[in-house]
Amino acid sequence: IKPIVIAVDGPAASGKGTVSRRIAHFYDLEYLDTGRLYRGVGWLVLASGLDPRNPDEAASIAETFTLPLIDGADIRTPEVGRAASHVAAVPAVRAALLQFQRDFAFNPPAGRAGTVLDGRDIGTVICPDATVKLFIDASAEERAKRRWKELSLQDPSIALESVLDDIRRRDRRDASRAAAPMKAAQDAHLIDTTNLDIDGAFAAVRRVIDRAT
Ligand code: C5P
């Protein structure tokens, strides 16, 4: 039997990660945050003293990348997020990470009916035949507020304006690149979480999944 695959795409701080973890827990599915792969490559490029804007250097790191290489690394910083979005625009980087994501999607561990993957191109490129596709969005202002709350726990001096600026730049880069740009698949269900809390967002997602499975 074919595994259930739930594809969750959307921009930074839209709530897609939290929603995806809730889906995985509730439906007992295996979860992959694909942003970790791009952040991991971005982090390794920086840690190796290389330049995330140099496509050849990014590609050479991606070709030997595995998740254990970033065990314990802090990949959630704004700097690593920026590096991730630069390396993610390089076609050879995306190609190097593709098979791992497909293998993960279609080979859930014994006892699990399927998988949840979140990212930018899961419904369009990685799993175009996913059982359910979701595109989770929210206004840039609301997303910046959420990310700012998170980041200010570690760095109380961080300004909301700079977080918003970062989010806008990253959206622009992710949506305008030629290789697998961030966009909703034609058959994706759009969920706008601007005025929803986590419970509200998850309730909306459940309605979509329960109708489709
Ligand atoms: O989701 P997250 O913010 O952790 O992703 C970091 C960056 O990795 C994104 O800004 C995007 O450039 C890239 N990414 C991607 N494709 C994915 C997941 C993440 O291009 N499937």
Side-chain angles (χ1 to χ4, degrees):
I1 26 164
K2 261 177 41 181
I4 292 171
V5 177
I6 315 264
V8 185
D9 291 303
S14 58
K16 66 182 189 308
T18 309
V19 162
S20 298
R21 276 187 295 273
R22 285 276 287 263
I23 297 172
H25 188 251
F26 187 82
Y27 294 97
D28 199 19
L29 306 170
E30 196 75 1
Y31 168 58
L32 178 66
D33 164 11
T34 66
R36 265 174 67 81
L37 304 172
Y38 296 92
R39 284 176 181 269
V41 172
W43 181 86
L44 257 186
V45 167
L46 294 171
S48 312
L50 300 174
D51 179 3
R53 288 164 199 255
N54 181 319
D56 296 330
E57 294 181 353
S60 73
I61 294 288
E63 270 145 29
T64 57
F65 180 77
T66 59
L67 281 172
L69 288 171
I70 55 158
D71 258 357
D74 184 7
I75 58 167
R76 312 258 21 131
T77 66
E79 190 194 15
V80 174
R82 274 192 295 277
S85 118
H86 283 293
V87 304
V90 179
V93 169
R94 307 200 70 86
L97 301 176
L98 182 111
Q99 201 54 46
F100 175 82
Q101 296 174 78
R102 285 211 178 130
D103 287 345
F104 183 98
F106 296 109
N107 299 288
R112 295 255 158 107
T115 55
V116 185
L117 283 80
D118 84 35
R120 302 290 186 291
D121 65 338
I122 308 303
T124 51
V125 175
I126 307 295
C127 303
D129 298 326
T131 320
V132 179
K133 299 180 187 178
L134 302 167
F135 193 88
I136 314 271
D137 206 350
S139 73
E141 288 75 16
E142 175 61 26
R143 290 185 286 120
K145 263 190 238 158
R146 293 176 189 167
R147 185 50 57 85
W148 175 78
K149 269 194 205 155
E150 243 172 65
L151 293 170
S152 58
L153 294 176
Q154 284 177 21
D155 174 6
S157 72
I158 195 156
L160 178 60
E161 266 311 303
S162 85
V163 177
L164 178 58
D165 192 55
D166 230 49
I167 282 202
R168 288 215 167 103
R169 276 170 208 269
R170 197 130 74 81
D171 284 356
R172 218 163 22 232
R173 207 155 40 228
D174 290 347
S176 68
R177 68 185 177 217
M182 167 176 73
K183 67 164 181 245
Q186 242 171 21
D187 50 350
H189 299 267
L190 299 178
I191 293 173
D192 188 322
T193 69
T194 307
N195 298 305
L196 297 177
D197 61 9
I198 297 296
D199 287 337
F202 185 60
V205 161
R206 267 189 67 187
R207 282 193 289 276
V208 172
I209 296 179
D210 290 344
R211 238 184 291 132
T213 53

